[in-house]
Every structure is written in C-alpha cells, then in structure tokens.
C-alpha cells in the first residue's frame, strides 16, 4: 500500500520541510544535479582571505573597474564617435553657434542635457583614475613585500599587462570627447607613431586612415576603448583571480602562520559580507567624487582646433610621466640614408616607458637569478629585510614622480617667474640625481631598521609621578587602542557536515547487456 506524504499544515512546518537554507538550498541542489557545482563551490566558499588592510588595494581596483563598466554602458547610449562638423545649438550658451565635431557636441549634450549625464561622465573619469591608481599601489605592495616570487611570477606578469592596458585605455577614453585637451593628446600620439624608425609613417597612416587628423580616428578609438580592450582586461582579471584562488593568498608572518597554511577569514560568510560593503563604499565614494569634484570640464576647453594649443593643463596623472619625459628631453635627432630619427621623441616616449615596464616584468626572474632563491614563498617579506629590493623600488618610484612633476614645467616657470629653460635643466639633472639619492637613503634606512627591535611600532606613553621622598618614578601607562597588536588564534576550517546522512546504496542486479557505472 503506497504511503502518501502529509502536507504541512503551518508555514513553520513548510519552512522546516525545505531544509535549513530554504529555497536557496533547493535551487542549489537542482543546479548541482545538472552541472555538479557542489564540489567546486565548497572549495570556493572555504577559501581563506588574510585580514591585513593592504589586501584591500586589489579589491579597490576590481570594484572601480565594475563602476567603470556600469557608467561606461550609460555613456555609450549618448556618445556619437564622429568627426563630422556640426553647429552647436544647445543649452550651454557660451558655445552656441560654434562649429565642432559631432563627438564634442554629443559630449556637451551628455553633460548638460541628459539627466545624470554629467554625474555619470565624471564618475567614469574618476573611476578610471582610481582604477589605475589602485593597480599601481597594489603592485607596489606586491613588489616591496616579495609577493611576486615563486610560484606567483605569472600573476605579476598579468598585473604588468593589466596596468599597461589600463593606461592605454584611459588615454583612449579621454581622447574621445574631442575637446582641445584630448585633441592635443591625439596629436602627440600621432607624433609618437611617426617617430618609430622606418615604419612610423605607415603605422600612423594605417591607424588614422591617412594624414593627421584623419577622419576615422575617433571611431577606431571608440571601438578599441569600449569593446576590444575591456574584453582583454576582463580576461586578464579573470586569469588573475583564477590564479589567486588556485595558488592561495600570501600572508605576513605571525602567530600560527607558516608557508603551508593561510590564516584569515573564510569566503562565506565573513569575507562576502565585508567585500560587499567595500564594493558599496567604493561605488559611493566614486559617486561622491563624480557629483562634487569637477574633473575634465570639456566645455571650458572648447572644441579641438589644430591651430590652437592649450596652456596650464596636463593629461590625467597616469600619463604625466610620459608628458614630463617628452618636455625635458633635449632636441636631439639623427639623419642618415634619407631617414630621420627624432631622439627627442623616440627616447622619452618609446624607449623610456619600454625599459620601465620591461624591467618591472623581468624583475622576478632577475631577483631569482642573482639571489639563487628558487624556493616557494607564501610568507611575505618586511621591506626593511630586503634593503636592495626596497631601495630599487624607491628609486624607480622617485624617478617616475620626478618626470611626473616635469609635466608642469610651464606652470612652474610662470608661477616662480623663472626661465622655462632653467626649469627644464633643473629636471634634466633631477631625473638622474633624485633616484640615486633616494635609493641610497632608502637602503641605509632599511639597514638601520634591521638593528632596531620594535621599530615602527607605536610607543607606550609613560606616566611620571613623584614619591613622598621627592623621587620621580616613570611607569608605562595603561595600553590604549592600537598599542597592542591582537590577533585571533588561527583555527582550521571545519569540514562540511551533511545534515542528513545519505541513504545506503542498494545493490541492483544489472539487466543483461546493460552496464551501470557511477558518475
């Protein structure tokens, strides 16, 4: 006689019948029956994330890229990538009746006539600056702590590629409005292409569709900016996160931390709650910057016209090092066999950034070769314990900061009322002396810190009291928040416990000619 299952009479009984996770568990069970996600899902949800604050830098880069994608989709609905000349008759009266490209008119219309258009455009611009900046700081943390060592050399290379593509896509992005600043940047890019020996003119003609300024460059920049490079960047981010999950996180030395474990918070529920809040914080701060902090006011610059040159403006910060290097390079060139090689462009715009990125990408191999260290490393270094590496990184950063400052030579000359030639010579000497001095000072500081126990730790306050005999006695004050570093004791991740035991397998006699195998 068949037994019928009793229907639940109350809502509480219905919820109890669905299991501890309710409908979510049923959905996951149904999905697992079809694609088998349970095993991989358990590994992913049990992944451990160290709790050190510096690991949030990578999350800032990831979430600012999410903001970039969301705001970029909005902007593509209104932007017109066309160099066709039109006459503007819009709400911004200072430009009324002026001739401009369709791209510039659509950018102005987006800023003043589309609801939340200016907010989205400025959020997009701020998110790009934050995205590249967080990548730079994140990779600096990886470099100074030695997180690039075996087995994470490939992830370091992926990071270098991400940074270079992000800089390139940022340049393409702020070139699209076709205002006076972006048009000047495109002209510089065309000059850099022409400076490439032997093939420069062919590359410039191929990309621009003829001589500068061409008629198709905005359309091509648009496709590269919104389609090709974002897909490549998303693929690299996916590879970076996949390797991160596969190779586990690095961690700083501490109680219970070894080369063979990871101490921190599990993905679910602790890290998921924290990282979701962090995503909302990054989005909110970017939105606040987009609403309150003006950036790239293209209506003040006006449409791009080749005879005009802007003054007292610089490109976005991540292109400042290239602009500064171009400004301070002497006017050297070499002519032979009917070809001219303009070294004043080739060296600062091609050779210099090429050497910087090549050296950064090759650093893991170079360090492994000179230190003869071929072991696996999951524990991080303190920068003071690797003085040569720290000094080299500080020297490189000081070099880039110096050429970045050189991008404002005209502003500095005007502000201090000195000759522009004097400012140029100051930076030409500074780019050589500043990295050397910075590297030597950093190396010496690291050596000194190695011999100071408790260095860079907060000192406890002292309470001085006087006894009845007139003697002064000093004792340590009660600890304040931050005086004592407290760490939770590491505990192993519990093994997943099935709430209901699986039924015992029943022996089924196979039918003739049929073979049954387990999945």
């Amino acid at each position: 006689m068949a037994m019928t299952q009793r229907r639940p009479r109350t809502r509480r009984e219905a919820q109890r019948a669905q299991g501890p996770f309710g409908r979510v568990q049923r959905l996951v069970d149904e999905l697992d029956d079809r694609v088998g996600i349970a095993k991989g899902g358990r590994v992913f949800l049990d992944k451990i994330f160290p709790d050190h604050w510096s690991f949030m830098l990578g999350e800032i880069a990831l979430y600012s890229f999410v903001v970039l994608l969301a705001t970029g989709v909005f902007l593509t609905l209104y932007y017109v990538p066309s160099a066709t000349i039109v006459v503007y008759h819009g709400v911004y009266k200072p430009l009324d009746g002026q001739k401009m490209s369709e791209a510039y008119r659509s950018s102005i219309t987006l800023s003043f006539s589309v609801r939340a258009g200016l907010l989205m455009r400025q959020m997009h611009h701020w998110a790009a600056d934050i995205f590249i900046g967080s990548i730079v700081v994140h990779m600096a943390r990886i470099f100074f702590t030695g997180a690039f060592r075996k087995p994470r050399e490939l992830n370091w290379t992926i990071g270098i590629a991400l940074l270079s593509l992000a800089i390139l896509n940022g340049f393409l992005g702020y070139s699209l409005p076709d205002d006076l600043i972006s048009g000047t940047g495109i002209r510089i890019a065309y000059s850099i292409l022409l400076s490439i020996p032997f093939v420069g003119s062919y590359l410039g003609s191929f990309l621009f569709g003829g001589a500068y300024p061409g008629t198709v460059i905005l359309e091509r920049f648009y496709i590269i900016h919104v389609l090709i490079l974002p897909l490549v960047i998303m693929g690299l981010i996916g590879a970076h996160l996949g390797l991160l999950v596969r190779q586990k996180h690095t961690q700083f030395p501490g109680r219970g931390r070894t080369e063979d474990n990871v101490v921190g918070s599990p993905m679910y529920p602790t890290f998921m709650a924290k990282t979701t809040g962090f995503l909302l914080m990054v989005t909110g701060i970017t939105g606040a910057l987009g609403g309150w902090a003006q950036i790239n006011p293209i209506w003040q610059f006006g449409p791009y016209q080749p005879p005009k040159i802007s003054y007292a403006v610089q490109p976005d910060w991540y292109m400042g090092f290239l602009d500064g290097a171009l400004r301070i390079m002497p006017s050297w060139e070499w002519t032979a066999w009917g070809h001219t090689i303009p070294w004043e462009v080739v060296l600062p715009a091609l050779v210099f950034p090429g050497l910087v990125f090549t050296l950064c990408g090759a650093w893991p191999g170079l360090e492994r070769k000179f230190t003869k260290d071929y072991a696996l490393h999951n524990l991080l270094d303190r920068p003071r314990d690797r003085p040569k590496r720290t000094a080299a990184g500080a020297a490189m950063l000081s070099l880039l900061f110096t050429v970045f400052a050189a991008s404002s030579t005209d502003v500095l000359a005007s502000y201090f009322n000195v000759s522009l030639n004097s400012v140029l010579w100051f930076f030409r000497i500074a780019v050589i002396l500043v990295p050397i001095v910075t590297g030597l000072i950093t190396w010496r500081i690291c050596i000194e810190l190695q011999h100071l126990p408790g260095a860079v730790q907060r000192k406890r306050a002292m309470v001085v009291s006087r006894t009845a005999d007139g003697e002064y006695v000093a004792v340590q004050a009660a600890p304040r928040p931050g005086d004592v570093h407290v760490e939770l004791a590491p505990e192993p991740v519990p093994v997943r416990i099935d709430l209901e035991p699986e039924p015992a397998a029943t022996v089924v006699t196979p039918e003739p000619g049929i073979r049954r195998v387990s999945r």
Side-chain angles (χ1 to χ4, degrees):
M1 181 177 180
M3 297 291 295
T4 59
Q5 186 177 6
R6 184 177 65 88
R7 297 181 60 184
R9 298 179 179 179
T10 63
R11 179 177 300 178
R12 181 172 299 177
E13 288 183 0
Q15 293 178 349
R16 188 182 301 112
Q18 291 179 355
F21 300 105
R23 296 180 180 178
V24 176
Q25 180 178 349
R26 292 179 57 187
L27 177 63
V28 173
D29 289 341
E30 292 290 337
L31 192 60
D32 182 50
D33 291 340
R34 290 158 177 79
V35 297
I37 64 170
K39 183 177 180 180
R42 293 172 192 169
V43 174
F44 180 72
L45 293 179
D46 288 340
K47 176 174 171 54
I48 301 299
F49 289 84
D51 293 327
H52 197 270
W53 65 267
S54 63
F55 292 95
M56 294 191 301
L57 298 171
E59 296 178 49
I60 296 177
L62 176 62
Y63 297 147
S64 58
F65 182 70
V66 173
V67 176
L68 270 173
L69 293 179
T71 55
V73 170
F74 181 90
L75 298 182
T76 57
L77 302 178
Y78 300 95
Y79 176 75
V80 180
S82 174
T84 304
I85 300 300
V86 296
V87 178
Y88 177 77
H89 296 290
V91 298
Y92 188 67
K93 295 305 179 183
L95 291 177
D96 187 46
Q98 293 193 28
K99 294 182 179 180
M100 58 187 66
S101 66
E102 183 70 24
Y104 185 72
R105 184 178 71 172
S106 64
S107 301
I108 295 295
T109 303
L110 172 64
S111 301
F112 292 107
S113 301
V114 176
R115 180 170 297 181
L118 181 59
L119 172 65
M120 290 295 176
R121 195 176 69 80
Q122 295 197 149
M123 280 185 64
H124 190 74
H125 205 127
W126 275 115
D129 286 349
I130 297 173
F131 177 55
I132 301 175
S134 56
I135 292 177
V136 172
V137 181
H138 177 59
M139 296 197 68
R141 195 276 301 175
I142 291 174
F143 177 83
F144 287 112
T145 59
F148 57 83
R149 294 173 296 175
K150 185 179 180 181
R152 296 173 178 85
E153 302 95 335
L154 179 58
N155 236 355
W156 171 260
T157 305
I158 291 176
I160 295 294
L162 271 173
L163 177 58
S164 58
L165 291 179
I167 292 175
L168 174 60
N169 210 29
F171 166 75
L172 298 179
Y174 76 68
S175 299
L176 292 178
D178 200 33
D179 59 289
L180 186 57
I181 305 301
S182 63
T184 304
I186 295 177
R187 179 170 56 190
I188 295 175
Y190 181 76
S191 301
I192 294 174
L193 282 177
L194 291 183
S195 69
I196 300 177
F198 306 112
V199 298
S201 59
Y202 300 102
L203 292 177
S205 178
F206 171 76
L207 181 61
F208 282 77
Y212 180 83
T215 57
V216 296
I217 189 60
L218 292 178
E219 292 90 334
R220 294 180 177 181
F221 274 15
Y222 179 73
I223 293 299
I224 297 173
H225 176 72
V226 305
L227 181 61
I228 299 176
L229 288 185
L231 289 177
V232 177
I233 291 174
M234 284 191 289
L236 291 176
I237 291 177
H240 177 78
L241 296 179
L243 284 174
L244 183 67
V245 174
R246 177 66 179 85
Q247 297 173 344
K248 307 297 189 300
H249 261 290
T250 55
Q251 59 187 351
F252 287 95
R255 186 176 62 169
R257 297 168 183 170
T258 67
E259 293 282 1
D260 302 321
N261 68 359
V262 182
V263 178
S265 304
M267 167 71 80
Y268 180 83
T270 308
F271 181 77
M272 279 183 131
K274 292 194 298 185
T275 196
T276 302
F278 201 49
L279 167 63
L280 298 178
M281 289 176 59
V282 172
T283 306
I285 292 174
T286 308
L289 288 173
W292 294 333
Q294 180 175 272
I295 187 170
N296 196 25
I298 58 175
W299 54 89
Q300 296 182 6
F301 306 143
Y304 175 64
Q305 297 179 18
K308 294 184 178 181
I309 298 177
S310 56
Y311 166 74
V313 291
Q314 286 76 38
D316 279 313
W317 71 267
Y318 48 85
M319 295 297 295
F321 79 101
L322 187 62
D323 186 27
L326 282 167
R327 291 184 182 220
I328 66 176
M329 182 65 194
S331 55
W332 298 343
E333 66 179 25
W334 178 70
T335 302
W337 300 295
H339 293 277
T340 299
I341 300 179
W343 295 113
E344 66 265 34
V345 180
V346 173
L347 291 179
L350 297 175
V351 177
F352 174 64
L355 287 177
V356 170
F357 282 96
T358 300
L359 180 60
C360 292
W363 185 268
L366 294 175
E367 182 172 309
R368 183 172 60 248
K369 178 180 179 180
F370 286 101
T371 60
K372 308 299 180 184
D373 183 5
Y374 297 95
L376 296 174
H377 293 279
N378 296 316
L379 290 178
L380 300 173
D381 294 328
R382 293 185 305 178
R384 77 183 82 162
D385 295 332
R386 294 291 184 268
K388 295 180 180 179
R389 178 205 298 157
T390 304
M396 176 62 73
L397 289 177
S398 65
L399 172 63
L400 295 177
F401 276 119
T402 304
V403 292
F404 170 78
S407 64
S408 59
T409 51
D410 53 345
V411 178
L412 293 175
S414 176
Y415 182 81
F416 291 104
N417 195 23
V418 296
S419 170
L420 178 60
N421 195 50
S422 301
V423 178
L424 292 175
W425 274 106
F426 169 80
F427 280 106
R428 288 169 183 171
I429 298 173
V431 293
I432 299 175
L433 293 182
V434 170
I436 296 175
V437 174
T438 302
L440 292 176
I441 294 176
T442 303
W443 175 80
R444 189 58 191 174
I445 291 176
C446 292
I447 297 298
E448 293 293 334
L449 289 177
Q450 291 179 12
H451 297 86
L452 293 176
V456 304
Q457 294 182 3
R458 183 175 180 180
K459 294 182 179 180
R460 291 277 294 275
M462 303 296 291
V463 177
V464 180
S465 59
R466 186 178 182 181
T467 65
D469 298 332
E471 180 184 3
Y472 289 94
V473 180
V475 295
Q476 283 189 340
R480 298 170 296 176
D483 285 341
V484 181
H485 181 65
V486 180
E487 293 185 2
L488 298 176
E491 296 182 2
V493 177
V495 180
R496 180 178 181 275
I497 301 175
D498 292 323
L499 299 178
E500 297 180 0
E502 296 183 1
T506 57
V507 180
V508 180
T509 304
E511 300 179 9
I514 298 178
R515 181 168 62 92
R516 290 185 172 87
V517 296
S518 59
R519 292 189 180 274

